[in-house]
Amino acid sequence: MKIKGLRWWIIGLVGLATVINYIDRSALAIMWPDISSDLGMDKNDYALILNVFLVAYAVGQSLSGKMFDKIGTRAGFVVSITVWGLATAVHALARGVLSFSVFRVLLGLGEAGNWPGAVKSNAEWFPTKERALAQGIFNSGAALGSIVAPPLIAVVWVAIGWEWTFLLLGLLGLLWVIPWLLINKAVPAKHPWITDEERTLILSGMEEIEKDSDGEGLTMSKILSHKESWSVLMSRFFIEPIWWLFVGWMPIYLAEVYGFNVKEIGFFSWVPYVGAALGSLSGGYYSGRLMINGASVDKARKQTILVGCIIMFLGLVATILIGDTAIKFVGIVAFVLFGFQFVISNIQTIPSDLFSGKSVGSLAGLGGTVGIFSVIIMNFLVPVITDNFSYTPIFIMIAVFVPLGFLSIKFFAKEIKPIG
């Protein structure tokens, strides 16, 4: 049996895993009013549980990157989604801060694998010219998960309560493993269902160093000895907080600045993620189109990242100058998140532009770790700054981060090309 366009089935499953990922991580926040009422917890308990998750998620990015390089994407995704699916399900047994924190650690460690795993999978299944588009499809799953999670979880919660909702959501991830194992039987060079035309397209669009999937990966010290690797780490340090600021703090901002209640927050807060989903696909398509038209990988990546950074910067300035109503604000945030996803799909693809398959997951995972630790720092600053001043200094700070993120790539990666 042969399947045409098998690579699109693979990235479709990875995108679906990302939707499940965001639904699972959102469940606690969405059901928190009921959970906290039942178990006698407050927002300080929630803040502690959130930070515990983020630390585990940051560490998990690096651990998962090494795991995927060691055991491969097929088995790596099975391990990751099984861990986070079971972790989601056992939330039903939590009865306080300690138990929730333990289960959030497991969730963070499991969910972290989705990102380095996707980068590595795309490096295996897509020629260089298509990778940013594949990464964009994957990243759009995060936006789609953020859009569907609130109404989906609310409906299920009303029907069966928060304990059974956690159990049902955990089951989704475990069910995903079945089609993944059935369809992703092997890498393209050895897959029995891939057509000869698609195999040729994928392998001919790779650098020679990428075609040997059995080669040894580089040690982390060797990876970091290349200046180009730091372009990934530093750009993610500066760019990552922009996404997480709005994911983590936008509901609170709407409540504090515009006096929104839970229903109004739910009505407005999904809108920016539509912009994010469009940005994911557009950024990947744009860089791929540049390469098809003859641009080098270096030019295509940097030009796309520059365009997205300009969009982000202008949007963040607009939040300060004209975001004086809720409708304007969420519209501007949609613009900012469009720019973010336009950029991040290409930054996340750079590890596969630089290294062969056995090292891609390691660099991608470390980049995720660096980015999340930057977010943790920001999360500590936001309440301190907003309690003493306003949200304006925060918007100014992340607006300054945008050009620093682009300059990090320009400085550390003089040319984005295979180096080992």
Side-chain angles (χ1 to χ4, degrees), residues 263-326:
K263 181 179 179 181
E264 290 168 327
I265 290 172
F267 181 77
F268 276 84
S269 61
W270 63 271
V271 174
Y273 298 106
V274 176
L278 294 174
S280 295
L281 300 175
S282 300
Y285 175 82
Y286 182 75
S287 62
R289 178 54 56 183
L290 289 175
M291 282 185 247
I292 290 172
N293 290 337
S296 65
V297 172
D298 179 72
K299 181 179 179 180
R301 294 280 182 259
K302 289 178 180 175
Q303 183 172 321
T304 305
I305 292 168
L306 176 60
V307 170
C309 283
I310 291 171
I311 293 171
M312 272 193 291
F313 184 80
L314 293 175
L316 290 168
V317 171
T319 61
I320 300 167
L321 299 180
I322 61 174
D324 55 349
T325 68

Side-chain angles (χ1 to χ4, degrees), residues 4-173:
K4 291 184 178 181
L6 186 60
R7 67 193 187 282
W8 301 110
W9 285 89
I10 298 295
I11 190 58
L13 283 172
V14 175
L16 178 59
T18 311
V19 173
I20 296 171
N21 187 296
Y22 262 76
I23 291 173
D24 286 357
R25 78 172 59 177
S26 300
L28 179 64
I30 293 168
M31 296 189 293
W32 181 253
D34 186 39
I35 294 170
S36 61
S37 176
D38 278 0
L39 303 180
M41 294 188 288
D42 58 27
K43 66 178 181 181
N44 292 320
D45 296 323
Y46 174 74
L48 175 61
I49 294 168
L50 175 62
N51 281 331
V52 165
F53 168 80
L54 284 173
V55 171
Y57 187 72
V59 173
Q61 293 263 336
S62 291
L63 294 177
S64 297
K66 296 299 292 183
M67 179 189 72
F68 273 87
D69 282 341
K70 187 72 174 179
I71 68 176
T73 52
R74 186 174 189 258
F77 265 108
V78 172
V79 171
S80 290
I81 201 164
T82 299
V83 169
W84 98 56
L86 291 173
T88 300
V90 295
H91 275 59
L93 304 177
R95 288 299 177 266
V97 174
L98 178 60
S99 51
F100 269 115
S101 296
V102 170
F103 299 149
R104 294 309 274 187
V105 167
L106 294 175
L107 182 69
L109 292 174
E111 288 202 331
N114 202 49
W115 270 257
V119 174
K120 185 173 176 63
S121 178
N122 290 341
E124 293 173 346
W125 278 94
F126 289 87
T128 303
K129 294 178 181 179
E130 292 182 346
R131 283 181 195 162
L133 176 58
Q135 193 68 23
I137 294 172
F138 156 71
N139 279 335
S140 68
L144 183 58
S146 298
I147 292 169
V148 304
L152 172 65
I153 292 170
V155 168
V156 177
W157 167 73
V158 168
I160 60 178
W162 66 267
E163 293 101 330
W164 284 100
T165 299
F166 278 124
L167 286 169
L168 182 61
L169 295 179
L171 181 62
L172 285 178

